[in-house]
């Protein structure tokens, strides 16, 4: 944390080991040569305007050109048009099939698949989840989201698996693809929306394609990892039997990578789901759109009614695909015959449903949860907002946080001369990584300046830093508590599950109701979003500390506080660093949500770009967020964690 | 291996079949969720404010219950909605606040969008203060006196200036230029979304705190938080031509409906119904209030209004 | 010793594998190393510092004859595993020649090479290399499947091999459900199932517990006795090498330092390294009376006393001599080759009796007449 919040690297004396000192010295020399030159040439605190490139005009022209030529240019008629058509047809086909099977059929099929793949408990869970979607009055939107998801996931899996195959089988492809995929992993989902909208316009095709771009990388990464991680001796044995390359791939490499492939599928599904919701901003329809619409009338209850099916879908899909990845010893290969029975049973239910005419969810069977939820939210905000004795209301906290943390941080960052910001970034990245990471980080930061969004980016950066700091303080504390007590962990688990899968839109209103409009609620939204992952990683890291080390500490009579400070925390250092990195990436991912509650800066510009169809503004701000993300990732990611070996 | 080749071939063949070998115009694509199960479907664009939801709710209710359509709604921001409308991904926009540039491009030049006539509601944008504040300080309603109250209107976000709260980035606004050109001691703070803005206004009102906000009428929130408009220099034709030099009030806009050109021609009863759709500000506000304040579901609110206003909507049916 | 060769057929038996001047160098521009006499003269450490290359196999030559068990022995890092992989080009050699039944392996194109791997040489691996997602039967049938043998036939043949290695009843288990010894039986069965001309073993038993290892060694001995299949066996375990090998090539730093029968290795180590290596071997169990005997002093000696075969080990002769209380005659057929008395035998055990000195380095040369030990 110290490395994140304290801009001066020298603040941590323990860090100054000898290589670190050497790096700093090298940097100081470089700075001594370059800075006077830079200052005389382009003085001032903010990025010199002479070094900016105005891209908004060409971007605006490109956008206009696309809109004018979308119905006539061959590129669109013969390529993008077909892509778009295929997507629409595929989504439509799946949607019609789901509607034709009817709610009873879909529920039955879902449950039976879950049963065959993951056992009775998850089958029940799946059925309950589907029925809950119907009960909440969200059957049709759920099917729309599901249809979109099915197409997007299939496409992601195909694209991801092909890329993964290429990277898994060819070292050159691996070298080319790996940094790209690594980078895509840290980019916020919103960043993918604008480019596809530019080409495809608002609507389902753009939503599906953005989802594919977002969800395919984990599949590609894990496919490559699985192929590369296969037991070398097994492959050699297979080769020694005179297999052709194709036989090796089909009979050995792919089956050996089964676990990774299924994990990839799992991650792809989860990411596709979260994107399918976010893509409602560009007209994806379905559940995300219902959340988005409910927000317009400031109706948290209705937003929650649409959010719950998303959470349920996410949890069920996660558990079922996760269970598929685990070999269950003792159980014989699931025979195709039982699959046949299961499918026949599902078909029977679907046909029965059709004959009985219960395709559409019955009107009366709906549960109105919006009202009680709204009452609860109103009560909460009414009683917490202000005037709470002693501690003050949340509004006061927000004001103090803005005055005492956000404003000084922002003003401080903007007061720093631009070259010193670059220097600090370089120093931090180099200290924690190699000169390559430092170079990437500095180039990313410089790109922000060149794009001409230096000041808003520093504003956003200040919010991100504040949010990360708060997230880490709360997250580490909670993580330590969860690691030390099973009861706390058990109690936390469902909460974390829900917060991780809940669409980000849903907590916009409670956040504003509690903290008002401005940067404070933006920070609060980011903290809420990033907290679960940080808590999880911290608790896991602490729990996985070598029990022998703990035992020896106990045998020496260490108190539990000493055990924590002297054994657990130092040994869990890699996990804690990962938590910092994840915290940064996740906080950045909701910068745009922050834009929706008054966070201003880059987040607002992206929202503005989307809302006004002003793609130049949006794309530039999006690119700046991407650069910030790159920079922060490099600055917080120790290079040792990157698996360099093919393992 | 043979299997793989065959399946790849089959896939390619299917793709070709699906798409046809010729050109594919993606500007002529309906939503994949439209016209499911043989029902005639109309896709309506809902903008993010409640007035627009009220229009759509009533139109949807009548289309479904009187004319037998299935209605899909998609929430799209104003400007992108024009694009979606021209592509046929939505069939109609029921409330447009005036986008001359888009109108020029899609209605005049490309002719992919057809005007759908007046909505019957008149819109107006302006700066507002809560009425309880205006009663205490009557002179605040003139922009010339705003600087006097800058101190009272300060927040953490606006720093040492007064706060002028703006809403969703999708809305038409000249506020930054206005503050600049009228030389006011204020800072424009963007709430980022209407939801955030409304929530903030309600919080302020609950505490009877003063605030200055960009707002528009018709809007249901006036029923809940009475607000008084601050007079800006009067609007004259063309005074807002250059966005950077605006120094006058916002105009009064008769809100318009627009239909996809194809839909307008071939949309049958639905298209004729939507062209006929015209109601008053009071009507719209009634429905909006039911949705936003009483938290009724849009279809319930629409049903309630439809049940009691038969004389109004009977005229719309083709 | 050629004169005393009793098994004349051995030398004439055609070589299955014939390796000549084989090099495998890892590292940048590896190809220049074998060609450059200056580089080949360097020690491994010098070579690495000069070129960044590591020579895993350096100028190795030997023949593997039909029906013999040829053991390559050496400590880890000696290059023996690389060597065996070069035989079927699982690792591409850098220089030298390899021939199988006279056919140049290095000149083979892809399909010919596959043919070699499918039908002529099958390998058994240290960590088994089984496919975890297949049953025992399907693992064993895998080689046949690769060859395109129909499902019914390959399963039938696999089942027969599974029975042969003693895994009946486990056909439908997965490798994960088997013990280490059972897994290696599957690995062995998989190699046997394709009925290869040569079996290659890469330290097959070093991952196993000692008792199981002995069982598996017996299994290999039994298989060899029953089928007489040519085997190339890599091991780091001297006991194993002595027990299984007809001939042993002892490797150090990529070179073969001595090649000979177990008896020659133990009895006349080529250099100090080999000598240190074999120091603790119980010599009486490896050396034969042939090395310990002396000509009969007189007709009396040649006519009385217990008879032992020339290939009997010294410990067997000790037993005979102790029981009879007199010197034993070494009889081949009806002919007396010589005699051993208690003193001769004790000399062998004590290591003082140096059997007939050989010219320096002669033992390293391949192709020289060796005495293949008959199948144990």
């Amino acid at each position: 944390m110290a490395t994140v919040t304290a801009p001066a690297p020298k603040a941590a004396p323990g860090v100054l080991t000898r290589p670190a000192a050497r790096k700093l010295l090298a940097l100081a020399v470089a700075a001594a040569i370059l800075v006077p030159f830079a200052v005389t040439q382009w003085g001032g605190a903010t990025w010199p305007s002479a070094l900016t490139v105005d891209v908004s005009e060409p971007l605006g022209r490109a956008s206009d050109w696309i809109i004018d030529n979308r119905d006539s240019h061959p590129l669109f008629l013969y390529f993008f048009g077909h892509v778009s058509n295929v997507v629409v047809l595929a989504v439509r086909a799946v949607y019609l099939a789901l509607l034709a099977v009817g709610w009873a059929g879909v529920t039955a099929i879902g449950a039976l698949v879950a049963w065959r793949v993951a056992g009775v408990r998850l089958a029940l869970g799946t059925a309950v989840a589907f029925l809950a979607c119907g009960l909440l009055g969200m059957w049709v939107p759920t099917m729309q989201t599901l249809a979109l998801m099915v197409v997007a996931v299939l496409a992601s899996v195909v694209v991801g698996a092909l890329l993964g195959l290429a990277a898994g089988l060819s070292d050159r492809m691996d070298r080319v693809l790996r940094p790209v995929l690594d980078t895509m992993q840290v980019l916020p989902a919103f960043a993918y929306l604008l480019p596809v909208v530019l080409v495809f316009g608002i609507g389902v095709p753009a939503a599906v394609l953005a989802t594919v771009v977002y969800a395919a990388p984990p599949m590609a990464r894990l496919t490559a990892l699985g192929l590369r991680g296969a037991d070398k001796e097994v492959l050699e044995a297979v080769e020694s039997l005179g297999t052709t390359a194709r036989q090796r791939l089909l009979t050995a490499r792919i089956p050996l990578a089964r676990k990774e492939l299924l994990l990839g599928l799992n991650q792809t599904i989860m990411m596709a789901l979260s994107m399918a919701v976010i893509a409602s901003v560009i007209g994806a329809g379905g559940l995300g759109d219902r959340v988005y619409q409910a927000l317009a009338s400031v109706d948290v209850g209705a937003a929650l009614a649409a959010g719950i099916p998303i959470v349920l879908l996410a949890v069920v899909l996660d558990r079922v695909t996760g269970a598929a990845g685990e070999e269950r010893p003792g159980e014989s290969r699931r025979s195709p015959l039982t699959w046949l029975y299961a499918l026949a049973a599902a078909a029977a239910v679907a046909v029965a449903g059709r004959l009985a005419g219960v395709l559409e969810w019955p009107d009366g069977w709906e549960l109105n949860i919006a009202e009680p939820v709204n009452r609860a939210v109103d009560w909460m905000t009414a009683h917490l907002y202000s005037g709470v004795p002693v501690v003050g209301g949340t509004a006061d906290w927000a004001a103090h946080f803005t005055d005492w943390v956000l404003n000084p941080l922002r003003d401080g960052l903007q007061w720093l001369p631009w070259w010193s910001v670059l220097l600090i970034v370089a120093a931090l990245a180099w200290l924690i990584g190699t000169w390559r990471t430092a170079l990437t980080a500095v180039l990313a930061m410089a790109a922000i300046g060149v794009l001409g969004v230096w000041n808003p980016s520093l504003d956003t950066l200040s919010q991100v830093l504040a949010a990360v700091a708060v997230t880490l303080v709360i997250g580490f504390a909670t993580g330590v508590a969860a690691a030390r007590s099973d009861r706390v962990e058990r109690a936390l688990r469902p909460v974390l599950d829900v917060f991780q899968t809940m669409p980000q839109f849903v907590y916009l209103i409670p956040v504003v109701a509690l903290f008002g409009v401005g940067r404070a609620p933006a920070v609060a939204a980011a903290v809420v979003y990033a907290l679960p992952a940080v808590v999880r990683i911290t608790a896991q890291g602490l729990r996985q500390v070598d029990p022998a080390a703990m035992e020896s500490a106990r045998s020496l009579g260490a108190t539990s506080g000493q055990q924590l400070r002297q054994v657990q925390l130092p040994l869990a250092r890699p996990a804690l660093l990962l938590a910092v990195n994840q915290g940064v990436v996740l906080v950045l991912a909701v910068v745009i949500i922050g834009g929706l509650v008054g966070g201003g800066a880059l987040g607002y510009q992206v929202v503005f770009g989307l809302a006004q169809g002003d793609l130049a503004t949006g794309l530039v701000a999006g690119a700046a967020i991407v650069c910030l993300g790159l920079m922060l990732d490099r600055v917080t990611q120790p290079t040792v964690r990157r698996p360099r070996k093919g393992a | 291996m043979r299997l793989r080749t065959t399946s790849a071939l089959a896939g390619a063949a299917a793709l070709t079949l699906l798409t046809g070998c010729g050109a594919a115009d993606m500007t002529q694509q309906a939503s994949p969720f439209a016209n499911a199960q043989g029902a005639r479907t109309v896709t309506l664009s809902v903008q993010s404010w409640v007035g627009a939801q009220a229009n759509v709710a009533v139109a949807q209710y009548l289309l479904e219950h009187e004319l037998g359509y299935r209605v899909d709604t998609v929430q799209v921001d104003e400007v992108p909605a024009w694009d979606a409308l021209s592509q046929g991904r939505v069939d109609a926009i029921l409330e447009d606040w005036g986008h001359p540039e888009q109108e020029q491009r899609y209605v005049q030049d490309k002719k992919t969008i057809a005007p759908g006539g007046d909505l019957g509601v008149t819109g107006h944008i302006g700066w507002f203060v809560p009425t309880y504040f205006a009663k205490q300080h009557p002179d605040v309603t003139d922009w010339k006196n705003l600087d006097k109250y800058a101190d009272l209107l300060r927040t953490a976000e606006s720093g040492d200036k007064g706060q002028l709260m703006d809403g969703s980035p999708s809305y038409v606004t000249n506020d930054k230029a206005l503050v600049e050109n009228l030389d006011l001691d204020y800072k424009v703070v963007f709430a980022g979304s209407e939801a955030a803005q409304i929530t903030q206004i309600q919080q302020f009102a609950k505490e009877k705190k003063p605030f200055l906000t960009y707002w528009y009428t018709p809007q249901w929130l006036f029923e809940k938080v009475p607000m008084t408009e601050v007079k800006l220099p009067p609007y004259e034709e063309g005074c807002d031509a250059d966005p950077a030099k605006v120094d006058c009030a916002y105009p009064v806009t008769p809100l318009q409906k627009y239909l996809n050109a194809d839909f307008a021609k071939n949309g049958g009863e639905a298209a004729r119904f939507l062209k006929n759709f015209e109601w008053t500000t009071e009507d719209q506000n009634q429905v909006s209030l039911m949705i936003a304040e009483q938290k009724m579901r849009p279809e319930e609110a629409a049903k309630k209004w439809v049940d009691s206003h038969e004389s109004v909507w009977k005229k719309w049916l083709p | 010793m050629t004169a005393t060769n009793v098994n004349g057929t051995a030398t004439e038996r055609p070589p299955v594998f014939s390796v000549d001047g084989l090099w495998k160098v890892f590292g940048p521009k590896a190809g220049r190393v074998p060609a450059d006499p200056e580089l080949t003269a360097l020690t491994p450490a010098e070579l690495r510092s000069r070129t960044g290359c590591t020579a895993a196999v350096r100028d190795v030559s030997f023949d593997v004859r039909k029906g013999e068990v040829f053991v390559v022995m050496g400590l880890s890092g000696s290059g023996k595993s690389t060597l065996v992989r070069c035989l079927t080009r699982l690792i591409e050699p850098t220089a030298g020649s390899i021939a199988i039944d006279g056919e140049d392996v290095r000149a083979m194109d892809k399909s010919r090479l596959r043919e070699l791997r499918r039908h002529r040489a099958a390998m058994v691996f240290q960590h088994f290399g089984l496919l975890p997602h297949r049953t025992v039967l399907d693992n064993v049938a895998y080689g046949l499947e690769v060859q395109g043998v129909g499902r019914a036939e390959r399963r039938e043949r696999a089942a027969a091999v599974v029975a042969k290695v003693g895994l009946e009843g486990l056909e439908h288990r997965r490798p994960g459900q088997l013990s280490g010894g059972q897994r290696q039986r599957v690995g062995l069965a998989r190699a046997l199932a394709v009925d290869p001309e040569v079996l290659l073993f890469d330290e097959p038993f070093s991952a196993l517990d000692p008792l199981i290892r002995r069982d598996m060694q017996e299994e290999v001995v039994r298989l060899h006795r029953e089928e007489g299949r040519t085997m190339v066996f890599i091991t780091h375990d001297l006991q194993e090498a002595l027990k299984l090998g007809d001939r042993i090539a002892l490797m150090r730093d990529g070179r073969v330092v001595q090649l000979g029968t177990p008896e020659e290795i133990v009895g006349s180590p080529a250099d100090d390294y080999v000598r240190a290596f074999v120091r603790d071997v119980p010599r009486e169990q490896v050396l034969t009376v042939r090395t310990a005997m002396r000509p009969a002093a007189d007709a009396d000696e040649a006519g009385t006393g217990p008879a032992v075969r020339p290939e009997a080990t010294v410990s067997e002769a000790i037993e005979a001599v102790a029981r009879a209380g007199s010197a034993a005659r070494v009889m081949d057929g009806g002919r007396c080759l010589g005699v051993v008395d208690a003193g001769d035998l004790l000399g062998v055990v004590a290591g003082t009796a140096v059997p007939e000195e050989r010219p320096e380095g002669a033992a390293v040369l391949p192709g020289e007449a060796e005495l293949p030990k008959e199948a144990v």
Side-chain angles (χ1 to χ4, degrees), chain A residues 290-308:
Chain A
R290 294 307 161 101
V291 175
Y292 197 40
Q293 287 191 22
L295 284 181
S297 46
V298 201
D299 189 344
V300 188
L304 205 63
I308 289 175

Side-chain angles (χ1 to χ4, degrees), chain A residues 330-401:
Chain A
E331 189 161 323
S332 63
R333 198 111 181 113
R334 297 176 268 288
S335 79
L337 209 63
T338 40
W339 270 107
L340 219 65
Y341 286 138
L343 281 180
V349 173
V351 171
R354 231 190 138 77
L355 291 179
V358 283
L359 283 178
E360 288 182 44
W361 187 266
D363 271 340
W365 297 10
E366 280 174 15
L367 209 68
N368 190 356
I369 65 151
E371 239 182 83
V373 168
N374 280 327
R375 266 206 304 278
V377 171
D378 283 349
W379 182 89
M380 198 176 74
T381 53
H383 289 79
L384 299 178
Y385 185 67
S386 69
V388 181
V390 189
V391 287
T394 48
D396 305 328
W397 296 0
H400 292 322
F401 190 73

